[in-house]
PDB file of all heavy atoms in Angstrom:
ATOM      1  N   LYS O 147      35.066 -25.353 -36.398  1.00  0.00           N
ATOM      2  CA  LYS O 147      36.509 -25.524 -36.279  1.00  0.00           C
ATOM      3  C   LYS O 147      36.852 -26.170 -34.944  1.00  0.00           C
ATOM      4  O   LYS O 147      37.821 -26.928 -34.836  1.00  0.00           O
ATOM      5  CB  LYS O 147      37.214 -24.174 -36.414  1.00  0.00           C
ATOM      6  CG  LYS O 147      37.269 -23.638 -37.839  1.00  0.00           C
ATOM      7  CD  LYS O 147      38.105 -22.371 -37.906  1.00  0.00           C
ATOM      8  CE  LYS O 147      38.184 -21.853 -39.348  1.00  0.00           C
ATOM      9  NZ  LYS O 147      38.974 -20.600 -39.434  1.00  0.00           N
ATOM     10  N   TRP O 148      36.063 -25.846 -33.917  1.00  0.00           N
ATOM     11  CA  TRP O 148      36.304 -26.435 -32.604  1.00  0.00           C
ATOM     12  C   TRP O 148      36.242 -27.953 -32.680  1.00  0.00           C
ATOM     13  O   TRP O 148      37.129 -28.650 -32.181  1.00  0.00           O
ATOM     14  CB  TRP O 148      35.269 -25.913 -31.605  1.00  0.00           C
ATOM     15  CG  TRP O 148      35.346 -26.567 -30.267  1.00  0.00           C
ATOM     16  CD1 TRP O 148      36.183 -26.245 -29.244  1.00  0.00           C
ATOM     17  CD2 TRP O 148      34.569 -27.690 -29.817  1.00  0.00           C
ATOM     18  NE1 TRP O 148      35.973 -27.101 -28.170  1.00  0.00           N
ATOM     19  CE2 TRP O 148      34.989 -27.986 -28.499  1.00  0.00           C
ATOM     20  CE3 TRP O 148      33.570 -28.467 -30.389  1.00  0.00           C
ATOM     21  CZ2 TRP O 148      34.438 -29.025 -27.758  1.00  0.00           C
ATOM     22  CZ3 TRP O 148      33.013 -29.505 -29.646  1.00  0.00           C
ATOM     23  CH2 TRP O 148      33.446 -29.776 -28.342  1.00  0.00           C
ATOM     24  N   LEU O 149      35.196 -28.490 -33.326  1.00  0.00           N
ATOM     25  CA  LEU O 149      35.057 -29.941 -33.437  1.00  0.00           C
ATOM     26  C   LEU O 149      36.169 -30.520 -34.303  1.00  0.00           C
ATOM     27  O   LEU O 149      36.741 -31.570 -33.979  1.00  0.00           O
ATOM     28  CB  LEU O 149      33.692 -30.296 -34.022  1.00  0.00           C
ATOM     29  CG  LEU O 149      33.399 -31.794 -34.145  1.00  0.00           C
ATOM     30  CD1 LEU O 149      33.446 -32.466 -32.782  1.00  0.00           C
ATOM     31  CD2 LEU O 149      32.047 -32.031 -34.800  1.00  0.00           C
ATOM     32  N   GLU O 150      36.492 -29.824 -35.369  1.00  0.00           N
ATOM     33  CA  GLU O 150      37.563 -30.294 -36.258  1.00  0.00           C
ATOM     34  C   GLU O 150      38.882 -30.402 -35.496  1.00  0.00           C
ATOM     35  O   GLU O 150      39.618 -31.386 -35.630  1.00  0.00           O
ATOM     36  CB  GLU O 150      37.702 -29.319 -37.428  1.00  0.00           C
ATOM     37  CG  GLU O 150      38.735 -29.729 -38.453  1.00  0.00           C
ATOM     38  CD  GLU O 150      38.860 -28.711 -39.584  1.00  0.00           C
ATOM     39  OE1 GLU O 150      37.874 -27.991 -39.840  1.00  0.00           O
ATOM     40  OE2 GLU O 150      39.949 -28.636 -40.184  1.00  0.00           O
ATOM     41  N   ASN O 151      39.192 -29.399 -34.671  1.00  0.00           N
ATOM     42  CA  ASN O 151      40.430 -29.414 -33.891  1.00  0.00           C
ATOM     43  C   ASN O 151      40.400 -30.511 -32.826  1.00  0.00           C
ATOM     44  O   ASN O 151      41.410 -31.168 -32.561  1.00  0.00           O
ATOM     45  CB  ASN O 151      40.663 -28.050 -33.231  1.00  0.00           C
ATOM     46  CG  ASN O 151      40.971 -26.969 -34.251  1.00  0.00           C
ATOM     47  OD1 ASN O 151      41.453 -27.254 -35.350  1.00  0.00           O
ATOM     48  ND2 ASN O 151      40.675 -25.719 -33.907  1.00  0.00           N
ATOM     49  N   LYS O 152      39.238 -30.711 -32.198  1.00  0.00           N
ATOM     50  CA  LYS O 152      39.101 -31.755 -31.191  1.00  0.00           C
ATOM     51  C   LYS O 152      39.290 -33.140 -31.815  1.00  0.00           C
ATOM     52  O   LYS O 152      39.907 -34.028 -31.210  1.00  0.00           O
ATOM     53  CB  LYS O 152      37.723 -31.673 -30.534  1.00  0.00           C
ATOM     54  CG  LYS O 152      37.552 -30.524 -29.564  1.00  0.00           C
ATOM     55  CD  LYS O 152      38.364 -30.743 -28.298  1.00  0.00           C
ATOM     56  CE  LYS O 152      38.146 -29.644 -27.292  1.00  0.00           C
ATOM     57  NZ  LYS O 152      38.959 -29.839 -26.067  1.00  0.00           N
ATOM     58  N   GLN O 153      38.788 -33.317 -33.020  1.00  0.00           N
ATOM     59  CA  GLN O 153      38.925 -34.603 -33.710  1.00  0.00           C
ATOM     60  C   GLN O 153      40.383 -34.892 -34.051  1.00  0.00           C
ATOM     61  O   GLN O 153      40.800 -36.059 -34.095  1.00  0.00           O
ATOM     62  CB  GLN O 153      38.074 -34.607 -34.972  1.00  0.00           C
ATOM     63  CG  GLN O 153      36.576 -34.676 -34.702  1.00  0.00           C
ATOM     64  CD  GLN O 153      35.754 -34.479 -35.955  1.00  0.00           C
ATOM     65  OE1 GLN O 153      36.173 -33.810 -36.902  1.00  0.00           O
ATOM     66  NE2 GLN O 153      34.556 -35.053 -35.972  1.00  0.00           N
ATOM     67  N   LYS O 154      41.172 -33.840 -34.280  1.00  0.00           N
ATOM     68  CA  LYS O 154      42.598 -34.017 -34.561  1.00  0.00           C
ATOM     69  C   LYS O 154      43.341 -34.445 -33.302  1.00  0.00           C
ATOM     70  O   LYS O 154      44.316 -35.188 -33.362  1.00  0.00           O
ATOM     71  CB  LYS O 154      43.189 -32.724 -35.109  1.00  0.00           C
ATOM     72  CG  LYS O 154      42.714 -32.378 -36.515  1.00  0.00           C
ATOM     73  CD  LYS O 154      43.274 -31.038 -36.965  1.00  0.00           C
ATOM     74  CE  LYS O 154      42.773 -30.682 -38.360  1.00  0.00           C
ATOM     75  NZ  LYS O 154      43.254 -29.348 -38.788  1.00  0.00           N
ATOM     76  N   GLU O 155      42.871 -33.948 -32.135  1.00  0.00           N
ATOM     77  CA  GLU O 155      43.488 -34.321 -30.868  1.00  0.00           C
ATOM     78  C   GLU O 155      43.142 -35.767 -30.505  1.00  0.00           C
ATOM     79  O   GLU O 155      44.007 -36.562 -30.142  1.00  0.00           O
ATOM     80  CB  GLU O 155      43.007 -33.396 -29.750  1.00  0.00           C
ATOM     81  CG  GLU O 155      43.440 -31.947 -29.909  1.00  0.00           C
ATOM     82  CD  GLU O 155      42.806 -31.053 -28.857  1.00  0.00           C
ATOM     83  OE1 GLU O 155      42.222 -31.587 -27.879  1.00  0.00           O
ATOM     84  OE2 GLU O 155      42.878 -29.827 -28.999  1.00  0.00           O
ATOM     85  N   LYS O 156      41.837 -36.089 -30.565  1.00  0.00           N
ATOM     86  CA  LYS O 156      41.339 -37.423 -30.253  1.00  0.00           C
ATOM     87  C   LYS O 156      40.140 -37.723 -31.129  1.00  0.00           C
ATOM     88  O   LYS O 156      39.333 -36.845 -31.408  1.00  0.00           O
ATOM     89  CB  LYS O 156      40.924 -37.526 -28.772  1.00  0.00           C
ATOM     90  CG  LYS O 156      42.096 -37.562 -27.813  1.00  0.00           C
ATOM     91  CD  LYS O 156      41.588 -37.800 -26.387  1.00  0.00           C
ATOM     92  CE  LYS O 156      42.752 -37.914 -25.416  1.00  0.00           C
ATOM     93  NZ  LYS O 156      42.288 -38.163 -24.021  1.00  0.00           N
ATOM     94  N   GLN O 157      40.019 -38.969 -31.535  1.00  0.00           N
ATOM     95  CA  GLN O 157      38.899 -39.327 -32.393  1.00  0.00           C
ATOM     96  C   GLN O 157      37.568 -39.267 -31.651  1.00  0.00           C
ATOM     97  O   GLN O 157      36.533 -38.989 -32.256  1.00  0.00           O
ATOM     98  CB  GLN O 157      39.111 -40.739 -32.955  1.00  0.00           C
ATOM     99  CG  GLN O 157      40.246 -40.819 -33.965  1.00  0.00           C
ATOM    100  CD  GLN O 157      40.379 -42.197 -34.562  1.00  0.00           C
ATOM    101  OE1 GLN O 157      40.071 -43.204 -33.916  1.00  0.00           O
ATOM    102  NE2 GLN O 157      40.838 -42.266 -35.807  1.00  0.00           N
ATOM    103  N   LEU O 158      37.608 -39.515 -30.364  1.00  0.00           N
ATOM    104  CA  LEU O 158      36.398 -39.406 -29.558  1.00  0.00           C
ATOM    105  C   LEU O 158      36.351 -38.030 -28.902  1.00  0.00           C
ATOM    106  O   LEU O 158      37.237 -37.677 -28.115  1.00  0.00           O
ATOM    107  CB  LEU O 158      36.371 -40.486 -28.470  1.00  0.00           C
ATOM    108  CG  LEU O 158      36.334 -41.943 -28.939  1.00  0.00           C
ATOM    109  CD1 LEU O 158      36.357 -42.875 -27.735  1.00  0.00           C
ATOM    110  CD2 LEU O 158      35.101 -42.209 -29.780  1.00  0.00           C
ATOM    111  N   VAL O 159      35.324 -37.263 -29.242  1.00  0.00           N
ATOM    112  CA  VAL O 159      35.164 -35.927 -28.659  1.00  0.00           C
ATOM    113  C   VAL O 159      34.213 -36.052 -27.471  1.00  0.00           C
ATOM    114  O   VAL O 159      33.048 -36.419 -27.622  1.00  0.00           O
ATOM    115  CB  VAL O 159      34.616 -34.928 -29.689  1.00  0.00           C
ATOM    116  CG1 VAL O 159      34.430 -33.557 -29.057  1.00  0.00           C
ATOM    117  CG2 VAL O 159      35.556 -34.849 -30.892  1.00  0.00           C
ATOM    118  N   ILE O 160      34.752 -35.738 -26.291  1.00  0.00           N
ATOM    119  CA  ILE O 160      34.014 -35.959 -25.052  1.00  0.00           C
ATOM    120  C   ILE O 160      33.866 -34.653 -24.285  1.00  0.00           C
ATOM    121  O   ILE O 160      34.819 -33.882 -24.148  1.00  0.00           O
ATOM    122  CB  ILE O 160      34.736 -36.997 -24.172  1.00  0.00           C
ATOM    123  CG1 ILE O 160      34.829 -38.343 -24.907  1.00  0.00           C
ATOM    124  CG2 ILE O 160      34.026 -37.168 -22.826  1.00  0.00           C
ATOM    125  CD1 ILE O 160      35.759 -39.336 -24.247  1.00  0.00           C
ATOM    126  N   LEU O 161      32.655 -34.400 -23.792  1.00  0.00           N
ATOM    127  CA  LEU O 161      32.378 -33.257 -22.933  1.00  0.00           C
ATOM    128  C   LEU O 161      31.574 -33.738 -21.734  1.00  0.00           C
ATOM    129  O   LEU O 161      30.526 -34.360 -21.892  1.00  0.00           O
ATOM    130  CB  LEU O 161      31.561 -32.191 -23.670  1.00  0.00           C
ATOM    131  CG  LEU O 161      32.300 -31.190 -24.552  1.00  0.00           C
ATOM    132  CD1 LEU O 161      31.302 -30.337 -25.306  1.00  0.00           C
ATOM    133  CD2 LEU O 161      33.212 -30.304 -23.717  1.00  0.00           C
ATOM    134  N   ASN O 162      32.089 -33.460 -20.524  1.00  0.00           N
ATOM    135  CA  ASN O 162      31.355 -33.778 -19.298  1.00  0.00           C
ATOM    136  C   ASN O 162      30.854 -35.229 -19.268  1.00  0.00           C
ATOM    137  O   ASN O 162      29.685 -35.495 -18.973  1.00  0.00           O
ATOM    138  CB  ASN O 162      30.171 -32.820 -19.122  1.00  0.00           C
ATOM    139  CG  ASN O 162      30.614 -31.383 -18.972  1.00  0.00           C
ATOM    140  OD1 ASN O 162      31.789 -31.092 -18.831  1.00  0.00           O
ATOM    141  ND2 ASN O 162      29.660 -30.468 -19.005  1.00  0.00           N
ATOM    142  N   ASN O 163      31.727 -36.153 -19.643  1.00  0.00           N
ATOM    143  CA  ASN O 163      31.424 -37.587 -19.636  1.00  0.00           C
ATOM    144  C   ASN O 163      30.354 -37.986 -20.660  1.00  0.00           C
ATOM    145  O   ASN O 163      29.731 -39.044 -20.540  1.00  0.00           O
ATOM    146  CB  ASN O 163      30.992 -38.051 -18.244  1.00  0.00           C
ATOM    147  CG  ASN O 163      32.085 -37.854 -17.204  1.00  0.00           C
ATOM    148  OD1 ASN O 163      33.269 -37.921 -17.522  1.00  0.00           O
ATOM    149  ND2 ASN O 163      31.692 -37.591 -15.970  1.00  0.00           N
ATOM    150  N   ILE O 164      30.145 -37.130 -21.640  1.00  0.00           N
ATOM    151  CA  ILE O 164      29.210 -37.420 -22.726  1.00  0.00           C
ATOM    152  C   ILE O 164      30.008 -37.540 -24.020  1.00  0.00           C
ATOM    153  O   ILE O 164      30.789 -36.646 -24.360  1.00  0.00           O
ATOM    154  CB  ILE O 164      28.170 -36.299 -22.883  1.00  0.00           C
ATOM    155  CG1 ILE O 164      27.428 -36.067 -21.568  1.00  0.00           C
ATOM    156  CG2 ILE O 164      27.188 -36.611 -24.004  1.00  0.00           C
ATOM    157  CD1 ILE O 164      26.607 -34.790 -21.563  1.00  0.00           C
ATOM    158  N   LEU O 165      29.826 -38.652 -24.743  1.00  0.00           N
ATOM    159  CA  LEU O 165      30.471 -38.807 -26.037  1.00  0.00           C
ATOM    160  C   LEU O 165      29.675 -37.990 -27.059  1.00  0.00           C
ATOM    161  O   LEU O 165      28.565 -38.358 -27.441  1.00  0.00           O
ATOM    162  CB  LEU O 165      30.523 -40.272 -26.455  1.00  0.00           C
ATOM    163  CG  LEU O 165      31.127 -40.564 -27.834  1.00  0.00           C
ATOM    164  CD1 LEU O 165      32.526 -39.987 -27.956  1.00  0.00           C
ATOM    165  CD2 LEU O 165      31.131 -42.055 -28.118  1.00  0.00           C
TER     166      LEU O 165
END
Side-chain angles (χ1 to χ4, degrees):
K147 285 186 179 179
W148 174 83
L149 182 60
E150 183 181 334
N151 292 335
K152 286 290 183 181
Q153 288 172 332
K154 290 177 181 177
E155 295 174 12
K156 287 185 177 181
Q157 290 183 330
L158 297 178
V159 179
I160 299 168
L161 276 173
N162 298 351
N163 298 329
I164 304 168
L165 177 56

